[in-house]
Amino acid sequence: MFPTPQRLGGYLWKIPYKMSQLQKARQRKRLRAVDNVIATVGAALNAKNISLRKLDYLTSAAFPKESEMPAKDKYWIFSKYGRNYRKGAHRQPKFTKISNRTVPPGF
Amino acid sequence: MNMWFRVTQKRSVIGLPKRLRETALALGLKKRGRITYHPVNRENAGQILTLKELVEVQIVDKPLERHQETLLKRRPSGYTVEKPANSQ
């Protein structure tokens, strides 16, 4: 029986360094879903004239909308060890359930 | 005007930090597909924004009971009863 690439003992990365086209499409869909939640909650609070610090942060430049983000930030996040200080957004644990939209200034 | 958040849990809280799991529980979200209603106020808005990656939110005028939600989801039967058979 031919051994699998993993069994051969090679240096095999099982998580690709970049996201596939379909992963990126689903990533955009999730970003938009979060944008919708923020917009809906924001509209409700505005109608009732309630202010909320968390909402201010989520509507500020520190938390851009999917449509305002460059592709570089949608699919790549800051990493101090990564090439060009970036690593694929799918490399972070639970990446489908967290928001990580901006990188430190200067990167 | 009455405003309610209609919150649907879309993603599971399995493997997430305790704080998020407890926030979900505070909103009555125990598993995917659960729908809960909460009045629009600062506290509820903050909790929903904490769970923004996991839920879907709509604004509605009044909350529905859980059995009413079930009726909304039910497939139409395909026929309507015009009159009972023993109505002679």
Side-chain angles (χ1 to χ4, degrees), chain A residues 30 33-34 37-38 40-41 43-45 47-48 50-55 58 63 94 96-99, chain B residues 1 3 5 11-16 40-42 45-46 48-50 52-59:
Chain A
R30 283 191 296 269
V34 173
V37 170
I38 296 170
T40 311
V41 172
L45 291 189
K48 288 214 156 193
I50 302 170
S51 69
L52 186 63
R53 212 170 354 147
K54 192 181 273 177
L55 184 71
L58 292 174
F63 200 93
K94 303 272 180 280
T96 62
K97 294 182 183 176
I98 56 177
S99 292
Chain B
M1 192 183 115
M3 285 173 95
F5 289 123
R11 308 290 313 274
S12 154
V13 291
I14 293 174
L16 293 181
V40 171
N41 58 31
R42 290 187 82 218
I48 290 167
L49 289 179
T50 301
K52 59 190 180 307
E53 290 89 5
L54 311 180
V55 298
E56 188 183 275
V57 185
Q58 287 158 343
I59 307 294

Side-chain angles (χ1 to χ4, degrees), chain A residues 9 21 33-37 55 58-59 63-64 72 107:
Chain A
Q21 289 303 317
V34 173
D35 288 345
N36 281 340
V37 170
L55 184 71
L58 292 174
T59 49
F63 200 93
K72 200 179 170 190
F107 294 94

Side-chain angles (χ1 to χ4, degrees), chain B residues 8-62:
Chain B
T8 313
Q9 185 177 1
K10 299 301 249 186
R11 308 290 313 274
S12 154
V13 291
I14 293 174
L16 293 181
K18 198 172 175 219
R19 208 177 140 71
L20 285 184
R21 276 184 281 138
E22 284 176 350
T23 308
L25 205 55
L27 286 176
L29 304 172
K30 294 184 180 178
K31 59 181 182 180
R32 285 184 54 212
R34 176 62 72 90
I35 297 165
T36 54
Y37 290 87
H38 303 278
V40 171
N41 58 31
R42 290 187 82 218
E43 292 78 9
N44 290 333
Q47 289 187 329
I48 290 167
L49 289 179
T50 301
L51 301 174
K52 59 190 180 307
E53 290 89 5
L54 311 180
V55 298
E56 188 183 275
V57 185
Q58 287 158 343
I59 307 294
V60 292
D61 297 336
K62 62 176 191 325

